[in-house]
Amino acid sequence: RYAGVTISGITMADSPQWLKFKLLSVGLSPINNIVDITNYVLHELGQPLHAFDADKIKGGTVIVRTMKEGTPFITLDEVERKLSKDDLMICDEKDGMCIGGVFGGMHSGVTEATRNIFLESAYFDPVYIRRTSKRHVLNTDASFRFERGADPEMTIHALKRAAALIREIAGGKISSDIVDIYPEKMEPFSVDVSYSHVDRLIGKKIDRKVIGNILTALDIKIVATSPEGLSLIVPRYRVDVRREADVIEEILRIYGYNNVGFKEQMTSKVTHMDKPDREKLVQIISDHLSSNGFNEIMCNSLTKDAYYENDPQAVKLFNPLSTDLNRMRTNLLNGGLETIIYNANRKRSNLKLYEFGNIYS
């Protein structure tokens, strides 16, 4: 879904103090009134927005498309990146203006001289955005939210909210109708829930009326009931609730984990342990080292790719969370050195450390 509106005659300036304070309170640095408003609405409603300088849009047309493999594009951080044929781009009639849902372009953003803007609000496929974000190593607030699934029904509401704030703070007037391109309407999720599965996963039989009240309070619509279970419609903004297990987790979360009792009966089994007992040996060594002034450290098994560039045995993650956590460690040395550096930078030089952990190859 792609929507936008044009606002003309704005005045670029610093944001009012209340808006600056709101952004600073969530760790963002104020830039100018237009950018600050889009960031404010992003954190207020969870919908990413982007403002283009309307006078820089060649042909007065905005096109969402892909571009040829290897096409150069300069992003807002002034870095030239080679585009993939799978990158979704926001373009005018001639050039790309923005990597859709990820990062803006250097030559299409608003500046102090901007007087007319085109305000964009869209919903993008999370898979597309995640692949593009990881491909170009661009982790932005917009990509963070699109990757995890935004609410397509919030698109127009957020656009109107931002447009109203721009008129209030930056002046100008709305000079076009809202354009809303929504070729295939995304329907809410349908989920069937079995009472027997609810009882089994939660470990307790909850009154069926209580379950219904919980689901209704969560804005999950009950469309059909039977002695065996429920048929539900989950709103689109609940992108984390798509399966029966997700619904049961929500029921338990609201019902309260503390309200699920435990059996008084305790079961156990006899197991055979190889000699020597590794856990017992580790405990003996740990006690000995700790009693002699050593501190145990536990470093992340995920580490930087740069440590293992020339190591063919190092396991590389296919879909890493970040570039700093994209390899499985093949030794414990690098994590220990990072710990030493961290402490040395804080004037703690008298260090005695040890670690027990797994390595991977």
Side-chain angles (χ1 to χ4, degrees):
R1 184 176 191 176
Y2 192 88
V5 67
T6 302
I7 305 174
S8 302
I10 63 167
T11 301
M12 298 294 295
D14 288 339
S15 298
Q17 286 301 317
W18 71 265
L19 182 53
K20 289 182 179 180
F21 177 78
K22 292 284 189 181
L23 295 178
L24 289 169
S25 67
V26 294
L28 294 180
S29 298
I31 299 174
N32 58 55
N33 50 5
I34 302 300
V35 174
D36 291 350
I37 288 170
T38 60
N39 286 333
Y40 175 74
V41 174
L42 165 65
H43 287 82
E44 181 186 46
L45 301 177
Q47 172 63 38
L49 303 168
H50 189 71
F52 298 94
D53 188 325
D55 296 326
K56 297 177 182 178
I57 301 176
K58 300 180 181 67
T61 302
V62 175
I63 305 169
V64 182
R65 62 184 178 92
T66 56
M67 303 186 76
K68 292 181 180 179
E69 184 76 31
T71 301
F73 180 72
I74 301 176
T75 47
L76 276 173
D77 55 1
E78 301 183 8
V79 174
E80 182 176 286
R81 291 179 162 84
K82 302 295 183 182
L83 298 176
S84 165
K85 60 181 176 60
D86 295 322
D87 292 336
L88 198 63
M89 295 293 295
I90 312 300
C91 310
D92 55 25
E93 287 189 345
K94 294 184 178 181
D95 305 307
M97 300 189 297
C98 171
I99 302 177
V102 179
F103 210 32
M106 183 67 186
H107 303 301
S108 62
V110 296
T111 65
E112 292 180 357
T114 299
R115 292 295 173 266
N116 307 304
I117 63 169
F118 173 74
L119 187 62
E120 164 200 277
S121 180
Y123 173 87
F124 297 109
D125 187 330
V127 176
Y128 255 92
I129 301 303
R130 181 168 180 80
R131 289 175 179 171
T132 297
S133 173
K134 300 307 174 187
R135 187 182 298 119
H136 297 291
V137 197
L138 287 170
N139 299 308
T140 61
D141 283 335
S143 68
F144 180 88
R145 283 159 177 79
F146 281 130
E147 285 175 28
R148 288 152 181 79
D151 179 11
E153 301 306 318
M154 183 60 67
T155 304
I156 299 300
H157 177 66
L159 185 66
K160 291 180 177 179
R161 169 65 169 155
L165 285 172
I166 289 172
R167 286 187 60 190
E168 175 186 339
I169 296 172
K173 64 177 181 179
I174 296 175
S175 53
S176 74
D177 294 330
I178 292 178
V179 177
D180 184 14
I181 309 299
Y182 200 1
E184 297 181 12
K185 183 175 176 61
M186 302 181 69
E187 299 297 333
F189 305 115
S190 298
V191 181
D192 292 327
V193 176
S194 166
Y195 285 135
S196 63
H197 290 170
V198 174
D199 298 340
R200 177 177 59 85
L201 290 177
I202 292 179
K204 178 180 179 179
K205 186 173 182 178
I206 301 176
D207 185 88
R208 308 318 187 200
K209 186 176 180 180
V210 172
I211 291 175
N213 292 337
I214 290 173
L215 294 173
T216 301
L218 290 171
D219 204 19
I220 298 175
K221 185 178 180 181
I222 301 174
V223 295
T225 61
S226 71
E228 290 75 32
L230 303 167
S231 294
L232 309 173
I233 297 293
V234 181
R236 285 291 315 180
Y237 70 85
R238 289 306 307 269
V239 296
D240 58 328
V241 181
R242 298 191 179 188
R243 306 169 301 164
E244 182 184 36
D246 298 330
V247 175
I248 295 173
E249 182 183 9
E250 290 297 292
I251 293 171
L252 178 57
R253 181 175 66 86
I254 301 301
Y255 181 75
Y257 294 92
N258 294 336
N259 293 323
V260 179
F262 296 93
K263 294 181 179 178
E264 294 183 358
Q265 178 185 6
M266 182 171 59
T267 60
S268 63
K269 61 181 180 179
V270 178
T271 59
H272 171 72
M273 299 295 294
D274 295 330
K275 300 295 184 179
D277 186 338
R278 183 184 182 279
E279 291 187 7
K280 187 175 181 180
L281 183 60
V282 167
Q283 189 63 50
I284 292 172
I285 296 172
S286 296
D287 289 343
H288 179 71
L289 290 172
S290 297
S291 64
N292 283 276
F294 283 78
N295 292 303
E296 183 177 6
I297 62 173
M298 289 181 285
C299 299
N300 199 336
S301 296
L302 301 177
T303 186
K304 297 179 181 178
D305 183 56
Y307 294 154
Y308 304 103
E309 286 182 346
N310 300 318
D311 187 350
Q313 292 187 331
V315 178
K316 187 172 184 178
L317 299 187
F318 179 72
N319 203 7
L321 292 173
S322 73
T323 54
D324 289 335
L325 299 172
N326 59 357
R327 288 273 189 178
M328 302 296 291
R329 63 184 179 185
T330 61
N331 60 66
L332 304 183
L333 178 61
N334 293 317
L337 292 175
E338 285 185 345
T339 303
I340 292 172
I341 292 172
Y342 180 87
N343 283 274
N345 288 337
R346 287 155 180 79
K347 308 302 180 183
R348 296 190 62 187
S349 57
N350 185 20
L351 302 172
K352 299 169 72 175
L353 310 171
Y354 70 93
E355 179 180 13
F356 292 98
N358 296 322
I359 59 174
Y360 307 86
S361 61

